[in-house]
């Protein structure tokens, strides 16, 4: 439903959305990932054919899977993606949102692995030896952290009234190991659509925010997979000494 502070919708011109993990739980062999899809719709306001407005909403999309061996000690790793997103106007004050979300869910239980060794040949017993590489998962760790950054507005387009739409993605740029510590670097890539004050059309630009984090492991290792999941992204326009920034 369109908030009272916003004008009626004439037509929707652009939509974007991203899936966010709000929580994970295991109950009776069922793994549930509490998921929300943050949706932003940019529309032309009724009676204001040159004015674009932004409507933001969030849709709950519960994702569950049957995993008989999962229990309360199971480590659940999930990654989400929005495959399809449809936003349709029902009337000037209401929209319909449909989202198709794909989830890759992996569950890890602690187990012991035995490897036979030290068998010697003798008499009629012959031993065939082959070498192979085994890469069992020895540790699963999770860390929640927050990054903040100040993004300078492009000099050519100063004087924004508000940010209309943003899309942020994460990527890992480097992974190192020091003892039982895993040090990883990454970047938050943001695409921003902002409305300049007094202008009819918005302006888009990109920004990159780099970060570094340390993760404590149970034991030293030299190989790991780092998966980054975005739980929320917020951008606001603030005043600084050099002008406006986000």
């Amino acid at each position: 439903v369109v908030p009272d502070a916003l004008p009626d919708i004439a037509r929707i011109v652009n939509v974007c959305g991203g899936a966010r993990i709000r929580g994970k739980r295991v109950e009776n062999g069922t793994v549930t990932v509490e998921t929300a899809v943050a949706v932003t719709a940019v529309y032309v306001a009724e009676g204001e054919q040159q004015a674009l407005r932004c409507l933001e909403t969030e849709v709950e999309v519960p994702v569950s899977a049957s995993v008989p061996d999962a229990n309360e000690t199971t480590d659940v790793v999930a990654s989400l993606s929005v495959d399809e997103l449809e936003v349709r106007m029902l009337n000037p004050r209401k929209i319909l949102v449909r989202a198709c979300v794909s989830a890759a869910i992996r569950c890890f239980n602690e187990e012991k692995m035995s490897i036979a060794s030290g068998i010697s040949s003798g008499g009629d017993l012959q031993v065939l030896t082959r070498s192979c590489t085994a890469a069992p998962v020895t540790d699963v760790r999770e860390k929640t952290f927050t990054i903040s950054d100040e993004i300078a507005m492009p000099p050519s387009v100063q004087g924004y009234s508000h940010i209309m739409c943003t899309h942020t993605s994460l990527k890992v740029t480097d992974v190192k190991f020091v003892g039982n510590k895993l040090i990883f670097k990454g970047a938050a890539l943001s695409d921003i659509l902002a409305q300049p004050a007094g202008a009819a059309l918005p302006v888009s630009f990109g920004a990159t925010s780099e970060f570094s984090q340390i993760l404590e492991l149970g034991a030293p290792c030299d190989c790991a997979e780092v998966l980054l999941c975005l739980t929320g992204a917020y951008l606001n326009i603030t005043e600084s000494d050099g002008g406006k920034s986000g």
Side-chain angles (χ1 to χ4, degrees):
V1 177
V2 179
D4 294 338
L6 293 176
D8 291 351
I9 300 174
R11 71 178 187 277
I12 297 172
V13 296
N14 185 54
V15 296
C16 62
R20 310 284 188 256
I21 295 177
R22 296 294 185 235
K24 296 174 290 184
R25 67 178 187 272
V26 180
E27 293 178 348
N28 301 321
T30 299
V31 177
T32 300
V33 181
E34 298 171 0
T35 306
V37 177
V39 180
T40 301
V42 179
Y43 69 92
V44 176
E46 199 169 76
E48 303 175 12
Q49 294 304 315
Q50 297 300 318
L52 294 179
R53 301 301 178 107
C54 178
L55 175 62
E56 296 179 323
T57 187
E58 197 170 84
V59 180
E60 300 290 336
V61 184
V63 177
S64 62
S66 176
V67 185
D69 293 333
N71 54 61
E72 62 275 3
T73 64
T74 299
D75 291 309
V76 178
V77 178
S79 59
L80 307 173
S81 63
V82 179
D83 293 340
E84 296 179 12
L85 180 62
E86 178 189 1
V87 179
R88 184 160 51 90
M89 184 180 72
L90 296 179
N91 59 55
R93 302 300 300 173
K94 187 179 293 186
I95 62 173
L96 174 67
V97 178
R98 288 194 179 98
C100 179
V101 177
S102 293
I105 301 174
R106 290 180 288 175
C107 299
F108 298 90
N109 286 340
E110 187 173 343
E111 298 285 349
K112 291 183 179 180
M113 184 177 68
S114 299
I115 300 176
S117 62
I119 301 176
S120 59
S121 61
D124 296 332
L125 179 65
Q126 302 294 323
V127 178
L128 174 63
T129 302
R130 293 179 179 177
S131 297
C132 63
T133 300
V137 176
T138 58
D139 201 354
V140 178
R141 300 283 169 156
E142 187 175 67
K143 180 180 182 180
T144 301
F145 60 92
T146 302
I147 62 172
S148 60
D149 195 12
E150 186 174 276
I151 302 169
M153 296 292 189
S156 59
V157 283
Q158 291 289 338
Y160 291 94
S161 60
H162 63 278
I163 292 175
M164 301 189 67
C165 181
T166 64
H167 180 268
T168 302
S169 60
L170 303 175
K171 71 172 184 178
V172 178
T173 57
D174 188 36
V175 178
K176 293 181 179 179
F177 301 92
V178 179
N180 66 336
K181 292 182 174 63
L182 184 151
I183 305 171
F184 64 93
K185 296 180 180 180
L189 311 177
S190 298
D191 295 317
I192 304 168
L193 183 68
Q195 180 67 52
L201 298 176
V203 177
S204 63
F205 60 95
T208 301
S209 301
E210 298 180 343
F211 58 87
S212 177
Q213 292 288 319
I214 297 176
L215 193 62
E216 296 280 350
L217 304 177
C221 74
D222 57 5
C223 181
E225 176 189 6
V226 178
L227 178 66
L228 298 176
C229 297
L230 188 68
T231 59
Y234 311 95
L235 285 85
N236 297 295
I237 296 178
T238 59
E239 293 286 349
S240 65
D241 294 339
K244 288 199 172 184
S245 61

